[in-house]
Amino acid sequence: MSLKALATKSVQYNNWVVHKYIDWLATKSDEQLNREVISSFPTILKTLHHIWQSQEFWWSYISESHDFDFEKTSSITDKEGVFNAIKNNSQKLADYVETLSEEDLIKNIKIETQWFQCDFSRYEYIQHIILHGTYHRGQIVTMGRNAGITDAPMTDFNFWNIYKD
């Protein structure tokens, strides 16, 4: 499998998972989504916000637009705003990756921020976005259990790979 095929498949899977989670969590009460539990972030909604804000941060480097606006992303905190933003970003990433060539994916992109410096391939940053979201979605399932939510959707990669069509 080429890197292009792998990257495309990965962002398609990520987009599907994001939609599954948002569709699932949209059926839950505001009280459940905002119930404080011990985790990386205190609530499910704040965890989703972090996933989205992180995707936007990395998107600004992957796309080489360098237009990440922390203040703008920090101002969207309501359920519908966060839900729409994370879905839109995941779709934007999937659409973008489909336009990339193998050369675009292996191109290194240097990042210098106040927190870190790195120089990795575009694909490695894309992989990071997906794995970072996966990490926090796992936390959301556990947080949900603490908030009385026990019906998390099946989102394993193999499940998607088998049944996506």
Side-chain angles (χ1 to χ4, degrees), residues 21 24-25 44 47-48 51 136-144:
Y21 264 67
W24 166 56
L25 293 170
I44 291 171
T47 304
L48 283 170
I51 294 169
H136 285 297
R137 285 188 299 268
Q139 289 180 320
I140 288 171
V141 170
T142 302
M143 295 169 79

Side-chain angles (χ1 to χ4, degrees), residues 22-165:
I22 297 305
D23 292 347
W24 166 56
L25 293 170
T27 67
K28 308 308 173 201
S29 70
D30 287 348
E31 191 276 324
Q32 288 173 308
L33 297 178
N34 290 296
R35 182 176 297 162
E36 291 205 10
V37 297
I38 297 173
S39 193
S40 296
F41 295 89
T43 71
I44 291 171
L45 189 58
K46 286 181 179 178
T47 304
L48 283 170
H49 183 272
H50 169 73
I51 294 169
W52 165 62
Q53 193 172 47
S54 296
Q55 284 186 181
E56 286 290 339
F57 172 83
W58 289 106
W59 162 257
S60 76
Y61 288 102
I62 289 166
S63 67
E64 298 185 82
S65 63
H66 305 283
D67 61 355
F68 178 72
D69 185 341
F70 182 79
E71 295 302 320
K72 179 182 174 192
T73 60
S74 295
S75 69
I76 299 172
T77 58
D78 64 291
K79 180 169 107 172
E80 292 305 317
V82 170
F83 286 4
N84 288 331
I86 195 170
K87 285 167 67 172
N88 290 339
N89 179 274
S90 297
Q91 184 65 57
K92 175 174 66 175
L93 180 62
D95 292 344
Y96 176 70
V97 168
E98 288 187 22
T99 71
L100 299 176
S101 67
E102 194 90 9
E103 293 76 28
D104 294 330
L105 289 165
I106 62 174
K107 177 186 177 189
N108 274 29
I109 299 173
K110 186 171 182 139
I111 298 176
E112 295 181 6
T113 72
Q114 64 190 36
W115 307 286
F116 63 89
Q117 294 180 6
C118 54
D119 188 16
F120 301 120
S121 71
R122 180 179 274 119
Y123 173 74
E124 289 172 290
Y125 296 128
I126 293 166
Q127 183 181 34
H128 171 71
I129 288 174
I130 295 165
L131 294 174
H132 178 260
T134 299
Y135 171 78
H136 285 297
R137 285 188 299 268
Q139 289 180 320
I140 288 171
V141 170
T142 302
M143 295 169 79
R145 289 200 171 273
N146 287 303
I149 303 170
T150 59
D151 61 343
M154 171 58 77
T155 58
D156 284 346
F157 177 76
N158 199 49
F159 180 84
W160 173 80
N161 214 18
I162 293 168
Y163 298 108
K164 68 180 175 284
D165 294 326

Side-chain angles (χ1 to χ4, degrees), residues 10-21:
S10 295
V11 294
Q12 288 171 346
Y13 165 71
N14 182 70
N15 191 41
W16 174 80
V17 170
V18 164
H19 280 79
K20 289 290 268 190
Y21 264 67

